[in-house]
Structure formats: structure tokens, C-alpha cells
């Protein structure tokens, strides 16, 4: 009699036990290995991080911006561990030396070929249900930015030539035409 093999169920311990240099994310017991990001991915990550950080600093704001790798324990359990490309956290009580315990206010993911299904589907669902206020998907291959404002249950699409307004701030927008993706 053949016994069906049970799928592996992974936890945060498995993330911590990965070999040095290996990165992965964990969603409901499934492990998703992370590829090394491309140069364009990193350029977009740095440009967006700097612009958000500079805006927060100019307003003497309380929120903090963290680029990947930065651990987000989305539901404060051992079932979901993510490393969003950019996390903006306004509640300092969520911050520990390990990362963010709970939902950041604003998350930006920069799509890579290997991350496309996660960014557009699984992470979208996880971020919405966990209480993330705003989620941007920047897709350099499509030259598109998709903005989900979960507080108002809306989404909009922009191109890399548009100015994109941040929903969690009254007067902040990012001009994507100023980001060189060549």
C-alpha cells in the first residue's frame, strides 16, 4: 500500500536555519526561496527608499523606512515571515531587534521574474488581511506600478513615467520618471 507523502510544513526555525547567504520567505508553512535581486531592482529599491526617508525626515515624521532584507513577522506567529523590498512602519511598538512584529503601514514590492506570482497574488492577500494600509507593486518589466489602498478598498495603475501619490501621506508623491531603469 502506497502512503501519500505529506508536504513539508516549515516554520520560522527553518528560516533561521538556512545556510548563510540563503534567503527565503515563509507563507503558511510554505517556504519560498529568494533569488539575488538584479541591478535594476536594487536601483529602484534604493531610489524609492531614499525618497521616502527624505520625505519623512523633512516632515519630522515618526514613521521609519526599512529596505530589504528586513524581517516582517506579519501576523506575529511562526507561519508568515516576509522580507518586503520596502517597509514603512509608523507604530514603533511593532519594531524589535528582529524586525517588525505585525503589519507595516506601507509595503512596496519590486517585481522580479521569480517573485511575480508571490507579489501579485499570495503577498497581496496576506498584506490585505494582516492590516497593511497601502501596498505598491513596482514592476520594471511591465513599467507599471499598481497601488492598493486597503483603507479605502481601491487600486490604481500607473506607469514609470507617472507621479504616484502615497495614500498614507497627504502631500507625498514619487515621480517615477526620475528613476533610471536602464
Amino acid at each position: 500500500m502506497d502512503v501519500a507523502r505529506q508536504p513539508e510544513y516549515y516554520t520560522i526555525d527553518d528560516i533561521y536555519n538556512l545556510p548563510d547567504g540563503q534567503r527565503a520567505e515563509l507563507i503558511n508553512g510554505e517556504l519560498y526561496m529568494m533569488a539575488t535581486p538584479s541591478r535594476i531592482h536594487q536601483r529602484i529599491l534604493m531610489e524609492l527608499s531614499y525618497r521616502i526617508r527624505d520625505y519623512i525626515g523633512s516632515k519630522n515624521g515618526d514613521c521609519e523606512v526599512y529596505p530589504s532584507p528586513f524581517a516582517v513577522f506579519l501576523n506575529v506567529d511562526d507561519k508568515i515571515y516576509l522580507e518586503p523590498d520596502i517597509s514603512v512602519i509608523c507604530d514603533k511598538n511593532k519594531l524589535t531587534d528582529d524586525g517588525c512584529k505585525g503589519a507595516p503601514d506601507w509595503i512596496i514590492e519590486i517585481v522580479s521574474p521569480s517573485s511575480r506570482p508571490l507579489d501579485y497574488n499570495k503577498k497581496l492577500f496576506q498584506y490585505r488581511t494582516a492590516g497593511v494600509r497601502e501596498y505598491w507593486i513596482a514592476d520594471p518589466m511591465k513599467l507599471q506600478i499598481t497601488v492598493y489602498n486597503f483603507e479605502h478598498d481601491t487600486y490604481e495603475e500607473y506607469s514609470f513615467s507617472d507621479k504616484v501619490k502615497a495614500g498614507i501621506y497627504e502631500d507625498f508623491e514619487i515621480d517615477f520618471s526620475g528613476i533610471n531603469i536602464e
Side-chain angles (χ1 to χ4, degrees):
M1 174 159 105
D2 288 329
V3 176
R5 183 171 183 255
Q6 294 297 316
E8 290 253 5
Y9 183 84
Y10 296 96
T11 67
I12 296 293
D13 289 337
D14 295 302
I15 294 285
Y16 290 138
N17 288 321
L18 289 171
D20 285 345
Q22 181 68 56
R23 293 175 47 218
E25 294 181 304
L26 177 69
I27 301 175
N28 295 326
E30 289 185 55
L31 204 57
Y32 298 90
M33 304 312 285
M34 299 173 72
T36 301
S38 71
R39 179 182 60 83
I40 298 301
H41 179 284
Q42 292 303 92
R43 178 182 289 155
I44 294 168
L45 172 77
M46 295 306 292
E47 286 290 331
L48 294 177
S49 296
Y50 287 148
R51 291 169 193 218
I52 295 166
R53 183 208 59 201
D54 289 349
Y55 170 80
I56 293 169
S58 74
K59 299 293 184 176
N60 295 316
D62 290 328
C63 301
E64 295 187 25
V65 59
Y66 292 93
S68 182
F70 179 74
V72 172
F73 303 89
L74 202 55
N75 296 323
V76 195
D77 61 22
D78 70 344
K79 295 179 182 177
I80 300 177
Y81 168 95
L82 299 170
E83 291 184 6
D85 289 312
I86 299 173
S87 301
V88 177
I89 298 110
C90 300
D91 180 353
K92 291 193 183 353
N93 292 323
K94 293 181 179 180
L95 295 171
T96 71
D97 286 342
D98 293 331
C100 178
K101 305 282 185 172
D105 293 87
W106 179 16
I107 288 178
I108 300 174
E109 293 284 9
I110 302 160
V111 176
S112 301
S114 63
S115 74
R116 183 171 300 283
L118 282 176
D119 294 339
Y120 280 102
N121 298 305
K122 287 188 184 252
K123 288 183 183 180
L124 170 65
F125 175 78
Q126 295 299 326
Y127 293 151
R128 181 190 333 241
T129 57
V132 171
R133 295 167 56 197
E134 186 166 355
Y135 176 41
W136 290 16
I137 302 172
D139 192 331
M141 289 148 295
K142 291 184 176 181
L143 299 176
Q144 177 179 303
I145 302 96
T146 306
V147 174
Y148 294 91
N149 184 322
F150 298 135
E151 289 183 311
H152 300 288
D153 201 26
T154 62
Y155 84 96
E156 296 183 66
E157 292 183 349
Y158 299 89
S159 77
F160 266 69
S161 61
D162 291 332
K163 292 180 181 177
V164 181
K165 186 183 177 323
I168 70 167
Y169 296 111
E170 292 287 321
D171 61 345
F172 179 53
E173 64 183 14
I174 296 175
D175 184 355
F176 273 79
S177 68
I179 299 174
N180 181 2
I181 57 168
E182 298 290 321

